[in-house]
Amino acid sequence: QVQLVESGGGLWQAGDSLRLSCAASGRSIITSMGWFRQAPGKERDFVAAISWDGTTTDYADTVKGRFTISRDNAKRMTYLQMNNLKPEDTAVYYCAARPGSQVKIRSTEYNYWGQGTQVTVSS
């Protein structure tokens, strides 16, 4: 099993920058990582994903150019740098992991999930 814990959420203003962190523990396996978000009353949406070696990334169109996903395998950490925050970025952000090295954008491809961290952006 892999346990994931997100941190870094909170209340922010439009235009702010924020970095979310995801700490992995438990079984050490090769995983690709993803960030997803879920706004109230909406489905969980893909935000960003990164391959095991960090050389491949993918982003939702809504965050492309503003968000950057990265990872530090030695520390078992994954990050989501979020710049130029917008009110529509308000959501619970989830970190997810899947065995394997390839980037995936569907939530059903991920086996392990964190509890989520709330990000609220005011205008």
Side-chain angles (χ1 to χ4, degrees), residues 20-103:
L20 300 181
S21 299
C22 173
S25 61
R27 187 181 175 201
S28 182
I29 58 175
I30 292 175
T31 58
S32 56
M33 301 295 296
W35 285 97
F36 292 78
R37 67 186 181 184
Q38 188 166 18
K42 296 187 177 181
E43 295 187 351
R44 191 170 298 187
D45 292 332
F46 168 74
V47 175
I50 188 168
S51 59
W52 163 251
D53 61 4
T55 59
T56 303
T57 58
D58 199 0
Y59 297 91
D61 288 342
T62 52
V63 307
K64 201 169 292 184
R66 298 189 298 123
F67 292 9
T68 302
I69 188 171
S70 61
R71 66 188 298 167
D72 183 337
N73 288 343
K75 297 181 179 178
R76 302 188 70 185
M77 296 292 294
T78 304
Y79 305 100
L80 185 67
Q81 178 67 40
M82 304 164 64
N83 296 331
N84 190 22
L85 288 168
K86 302 178 179 181
E88 51 264 43
D89 294 322
T90 295
V92 177
Y93 283 73
Y94 297 91
C95 174
R98 60 174 299 279
S101 60
Q102 293 182 327
V103 166

Side-chain angles (χ1 to χ4, degrees), residues 108-120:
T108 53
E109 301 272 8
Y110 290 81
N111 301 69
Y112 307 104
W113 292 84
Q115 293 299 307
T117 184
Q118 175 71 47
V119 174
T120 302

